[in-house]
Amino acid sequence: MRSLPNAATSRRRNAVAALAITSTLALTAACGSDGGDSGSGGSTEEVDLSFVYATSTINAMQEMALGAKAAAEEREGINYSESAPAGINGPQQVQMFQSAMQTSKDGILFETLTPDLFTRPLTQATDSDIPIVSIDTAPPEGSGVEFFVGNSNENVGRILAEELVRQLDGGQQGGKVVLANAIPGLPTLEQRLAGMVEVLETERPDLEIVGPLATANEPTENFNAWNNVLKAHPDAVAYLGAGAQDSVSLARLHESTNATWLAGACDLDPAALEGLKNGHLFAISSPEHWLKGYIGLRLLALNAQEGEELPKGWWNPGELLVTADNVEEIIDRQTDEASRVAWFEQVAEEQFANMDDYLSELEN
């Protein structure tokens, strides 16, 4: 597995993200533009692009797919398709990827939660000169994929833990903070937890860190796992999860038990946002999955239609902390496809206009 360099500039990107308002990318497409400075305009040559991703049932993947779809729809001539298993199934996803190699030779956007299964299929694709952009999970070493769009997941965890420290500031000394991982061994979640641990050990060494404990990925199993964690550690001052389902379960348990402990996790599941709005979570750290899907597919479209060379390296689009201060805005943003497109327009245009600021080396 490839490792990612540290990305200390994400807080600046959060500030940029907060500026996103008003007009839509769809409106920009309707007005027309020149070349690669916008996702619209230019060649209308018919090209076949696809997005193959890990599962259609996880909110994070659904967000990436909506972003990719938005990028495809803002240009004429894009024949876009997407495929994913209904649940994490690496071998089935490999088959879907191999099918896409036959139907989408102009470019494939790719995300997986089982990267070790994809070294050979990705190598076959790159050897066949099919452009590949990997998002969310770094491409496996030796795959021939040279471009990745994804977060510093350490920073996703850091900003959540930093908010917990602020929430606890001036409060009791000592106590337990319980960490949990819904998919143990998955690098994305492991990195988020590492970021949490780093902040807590540095800024609140008086706190006892418990875990990370294993929960589960599916909703019922995740809820039951967290319920057992609460029974095993009822005196903790806070509970932090690395994934989307963790936030949903923690919000439900906080509400049903009239709890006073603090809870936070990652990803923007609608139920989690409602839990935050209603005071059952203190924060959600969003990897801004929509933006990754949008950036990756837009670059493939520009490559296929305009001949613009794909970048090499790692494009880090940043992350966003959602708290009581901005949760209403983010709920509004997440209302539908059009509201997402409108909110992200200025964010995307700023990043494309300053591409070098977001690119760094993808290390082996």
Side-chain angles (χ1 to χ4, degrees):
M1 176 62 60
R2 290 182 172 181
S3 60
L4 300 180
N6 184 28
T9 59
S10 292
R11 293 180 183 82
R12 173 180 59 79
R13 292 166 193 158
N14 294 339
V16 171
L19 297 175
I21 53 174
T22 62
S23 61
T24 69
L25 288 165
L27 179 60
T28 304
C31 294
S33 64
D34 296 322
D37 289 338
S38 175
S40 59
S43 172
T44 59
E45 177 188 355
E46 293 276 331
V47 297
D48 299 311
L49 304 176
S50 66
F51 179 30
V52 181
Y53 55 107
T55 171
S56 62
T57 59
I58 294 178
N59 173 262
M61 311 299 163
Q62 295 164 1
E63 290 292 320
M64 293 179 218
L66 287 173
K69 180 184 176 186
E73 289 181 345
E74 72 181 17
R75 298 183 64 92
E76 295 182 19
I78 303 295
N79 299 317
Y80 171 73
S81 62
E82 57 187 49
S83 57
I88 300 172
N89 185 327
Q92 185 180 5
Q93 191 192 1
V94 168
Q95 294 177 354
M96 291 177 171
F97 182 84
Q98 291 169 333
S99 295
M101 288 171 57
Q102 304 304 313
T103 60
S104 301
K105 295 182 181 295
D106 297 309
I108 301 174
L109 187 66
F110 170 73
E111 190 282 336
T112 188
L113 297 178
T114 55
D116 291 346
L117 298 181
F118 277 89
T119 302
R120 184 177 180 184
L122 287 169
T123 301
Q124 291 171 337
T126 55
D127 286 348
S128 300
D129 295 323
I130 299 174
I132 305 291
V133 172
S134 180
I135 65 171
D136 189 53
T137 302
E141 184 177 355
S143 65
V145 178
E146 298 181 312
F147 181 53
F148 167 62
V149 182
N151 306 94
S152 164
N153 278 290
E154 290 93 341
N155 279 351
V156 172
R158 284 189 193 106
I159 62 173
L160 184 65
E162 287 167 354
E163 181 61 22
L164 174 61
V165 170
R166 284 190 285 272
Q167 294 280 334
L168 294 174
D169 187 38
Q172 71 178 71
Q173 293 296 304
K176 294 179 182 178
V177 176
V178 179
L179 308 183
N181 188 346
I183 312 177
L186 181 66
T188 299
L189 301 189
E190 299 282 355
Q191 290 159 10
R192 293 178 189 178
L193 290 160
M196 296 178 200
V197 170
E198 179 188 13
V199 169
L200 293 174
E201 289 183 340
T202 301
E203 300 189 24
R204 287 297 301 265
D206 59 302
L207 295 171
E208 177 188 353
I209 298 173
V210 177
L213 307 176
T215 54
N217 189 55
E218 295 303 317
T220 299
E221 289 81 358
N222 184 275
F223 179 86
N224 291 336
W226 271 112
N227 195 33
N228 290 334
V229 168
L230 294 177
K231 291 177 181 177
H233 302 280
D235 56 342
V237 298
Y239 302 86
L240 301 180
Q245 200 57 48
D246 293 324
S247 60
V248 176
S249 297
L250 283 167
R252 288 177 57 195
L253 287 163
H254 192 278
E255 181 177 18
S256 65
T257 60
N258 295 312
T260 59
W261 39 259
L262 297 171
C266 306
D267 296 334
L268 298 180
D269 190 284
L273 286 170
E274 285 298 318
L276 174 55
K277 176 183 175 181
N278 294 327
H280 300 300
L281 300 173
F282 71 87
I284 299 170
S285 184
S286 171
E288 300 293 77
H289 295 301
W290 189 98
L291 190 57
K292 289 182 280 191
Y294 175 82
I295 291 169
L297 202 286
R298 175 166 158 176
L299 287 167
L300 283 171
L302 290 170
N303 173 262
Q305 289 188 323
E306 309 287 350
E308 294 191 13
E309 186 176 354
L310 287 174
K312 292 183 180 180
W314 173 32
W315 184 317
N316 181 353
E319 57 282 323
L320 178 70
L321 185 70
V322 186
T323 67
D325 292 336
N326 63 346
V327 66
E328 293 277 9
E329 177 189 358
I330 300 307
I331 288 175
D332 289 343
R333 181 188 89 177
Q334 299 294 107
T335 299
D336 55 29
E337 293 182 43
S339 60
R340 287 169 171 84
V341 167
W343 197 96
F344 277 109
E345 180 186 15
Q346 290 186 14
V347 180
E349 296 313 313
E350 191 278 338
Q351 294 200 14
F352 273 84
N354 300 281
M355 187 182 302
D356 289 345
D357 292 344
Y358 295 88
L359 284 169
S360 58
E361 184 178 356
L362 182 60
E363 298 176 348
N364 288 332

